[in-house]
Every structure is written in C-alpha cells, then in structure tokens.
Amino acid sequence: MAAPSMKERQACWGARDEYWKCSDENTEDASQCKKLRSSFESSCPQQWIIDQLRWFYLNIRLKRAEY
C-alpha cells in the first residue's frame, strides 16, 4: 500500500479531530458521534484507525486515573 498523500492525511486528521472533539463533549452518549466516527474510519488507513483509537482510549483512562 502506498503512503497517503498530504491531502489524504489532512482529511484523516481533520476527521479524527472532529470525532475526538465530539467524544470529549458527549462522554455520556457516544451515539451522537456515530456519523463522525464513520467519517474518521472512511478517511483513514485501517492501521492508523487502530493506533489512533488505542491512543485515544488510553488517554481517557489516564485522565480518569488522575482524578
């Protein structure tokens, strides 16, 4: 698989950031972010999605552990 172009990377990062923002704002109701998650998953290579979600959920656990 060829490396994503700059436009593809920017689209992926933008979709990721929108999804994360929604997830942060809607911690009680993740269903509100389904559309953004679909956009994130369709904009990024599969391995990036796995890595980014792993990092995202680890970060949430670390934030909860601080409190």
Side-chain angles (χ1 to χ4, degrees), residues 28-43:
E28 300 299 320
D29 187 11
S31 66
Q32 294 184 10
C33 304
K34 282 184 180 181
K35 193 180 248 186
L36 292 172
R37 181 165 177 153
S38 291
S39 175
F40 168 52
E41 290 177 350
S42 66
S43 299

Side-chain angles (χ1 to χ4, degrees), residues 44-65:
C44 299
Q46 185 63 35
Q47 188 58 47
W48 287 17
I49 295 165
I50 293 167
D51 292 342
Q52 292 293 322
L53 290 175
R54 186 177 298 142
W55 183 89
F56 179 74
Y57 291 118
L58 174 64
N59 194 31
I60 288 173
R61 280 191 237 135
L62 291 173
K63 283 181 184 177
R64 287 181 182 163

